[in-house]
Amino acid sequence: MELGDHSCRNVTEAEVKLEEGEVMQDGGSALVAVDAMPEPPQMDIRMDAALLHCQTCLLPLRPPVFKCEAAGHIVCFCCRAGHGGICSRAVTHCAELDAVVAAAKVPCPYRAFGCDRYVVYHAVADHQRGECQCAPCSCPDSGCPFVGSRGMLLDHFAAAHSRLAVTVRYGRSWNLNFALSQRWHVLVGEEDRSVFLVSLGALGAATAVSLVCVRADAAPAPQFWCKLSVELPGDDKDKLVLMTSTVGSSALTGGMPAPGQGMFLAVPQELLSGDVLPLSVRIDQLRPASAANNKSATPRARTPGRMQ
């Protein structure tokens, strides 16, 4: 189950400004400090899902919820004005329904893959796209039908394909040797157990090397940066190839990326060691955009550092 979304769905209470003639029925309330209360009892119920959808755009309702006085149609904040062209303008705010749609939870659709969370109904799509750590991904091996969470994939790689994952720490370089006879190899971030695949493929006389983070086709913003390099011992800089790039994400639904697709490192034949690719890999976590925006405008003095 994947629920739709549109651009004005992420509405905060502070952003909601009622226009003239709209009625707020819940009134005002003062914040009162109270002792921590135990969590109220929960219960499972079954109901028509359409009752939790806007009757205009048909997407899940999220607070604030409105209704038109002519026929009692229930609509979302984004549709309340345009509803006037269908019936009558929806000007009455339904605080009681706000409480219902804000509290109605359903099991994560990826329960079969290990997620035991209950998610607010209108946030299911966001949870599926970016938050759920159990979102299913595919096995990259051609012809293998396995689909599972990232944790399940690691077990599958070891049991079905004899591919043991190499654990790496972020922020430092790792000198690894990969057999060219195997098209893909598995890395796991020690800090958060993120799964990465190193892809190897022929590209003319060279070997194309790329790195992808295995996660559901979710938020487009990259979460990692990488540096890949191959160098033969010695002082000859002509015997070095290097690439730095953000790390793309994929659920591997279509298998591994084709050689030369996206960002990749082209390694000439003379830098290979027989059937082995000696690859230096460094992966760094990128700071979330929200954290970067909260930085002070005044830069702090920093001690110069040297990247490994």
Side-chain angles (χ1 to χ4, degrees):
M1 171 179 63
E2 176 137 355
L3 303 178
D5 205 350
H6 54 61
S7 59
C8 65
R9 299 299 290 177
N10 296 324
V11 180
T12 64
E13 185 174 350
E15 294 172 329
V16 178
K17 295 181 180 179
L18 300 182
E19 300 176 10
E20 184 177 356
E22 295 180 345
V23 180
M24 293 290 288
Q25 294 186 335
D26 53 342
S29 59
L31 296 178
V32 180
V34 295
D35 294 334
M37 298 293 291
E39 184 177 348
Q42 306 285 310
M43 65 179 180
D44 293 334
I45 62 173
R46 296 179 66 89
M47 63 183 297
D48 185 351
L51 296 175
L52 296 176
H53 286 242
C54 171
Q55 292 180 269
T56 297
C57 67
L58 305 181
L59 294 175
L61 289 163
R62 65 178 65 206
V65 179
F66 294 81
K67 72 175 180 179
C68 72
E69 293 299 334
H73 294 132
I74 303 300
V75 298
C76 65
F77 175 78
C78 298
C79 295
R80 75 195 197 286
H83 189 69
I86 302 173
C87 185
S88 67
R89 197 166 182 275
V91 297
T92 302
H93 174 230
C94 304
E96 296 83 359
L97 278 178
D98 281 356
V100 172
V101 300
K105 295 183 179 181
V106 296
C108 173
Y110 298 143
R111 196 175 207 175
F113 300 109
C115 185
D116 57 2
R117 287 188 55 187
Y118 277 74
V119 187
V120 174
Y121 183 68
H122 65 70
V124 167
D126 293 334
H127 177 73
Q128 283 183 279
R129 287 195 296 259
E131 300 173 11
C132 185
Q133 298 302 308
C134 297
C137 300
S138 300
C139 178
D141 203 68
S142 178
C144 181
F146 184 85
V147 176
S149 67
R150 289 178 294 182
M152 292 176 176
L153 275 180
L154 289 177
D155 293 338
H156 170 76
F157 291 157
H161 302 289
S162 300
R163 306 289 180 90
L164 298 179
V166 176
T167 300
V168 298
R169 296 187 64 184
Y170 301 137
R172 59 165 293 182
S173 296
W174 297 85
N175 295 319
L176 306 171
N177 292 315
F178 297 115
L180 293 173
S181 58
Q182 296 181 344
R183 186 171 173 236
W184 51 271
H185 301 265
V186 188
L187 305 178
V188 176
E190 180 179 300
E191 292 83 348
D192 60 1
R193 305 303 294 171
S194 288
V195 178
F196 303 88
L197 289 192
V198 177
S199 172
L200 310 178
L203 188 66
T207 297
V209 183
S210 61
L211 183 73
V212 64
C213 177
V214 181
R215 62 176 178 139
D217 296 322
Q223 296 181 335
F224 300 94
W225 172 93
C226 75
K227 179 173 76 171
L228 307 178
S229 64
V230 177
E231 179 179 13
L232 287 183
D235 298 328
D236 189 350
K237 293 184 178 180
D238 290 336
K239 295 182 179 179
L240 167 70
V241 289
L242 180 147
M243 178 201 78
T244 62
S245 172
T246 54
V247 179
S249 300
S250 174
L252 304 177
T253 305
M256 285 295 299
Q261 179 180 341
M263 297 296 294
F264 64 93
L265 176 68
V267 182
Q269 187 71 29
E270 55 267 26
L271 294 186
L272 302 178
S273 178
D275 186 43
V276 174
L277 173 70
L279 182 68
S280 174
V281 180
R282 172 175 174 147
I283 302 174
D284 288 85
Q285 288 180 298
L286 294 177
R287 173 180 296 180
S290 58
N293 293 335
N294 290 334
K295 287 182 63 179
S296 169
T298 303
R300 296 182 180 180
R302 297 189 299 173
T303 302
R306 181 166 161 265
M307 182 177 291
Q308 294 183 358

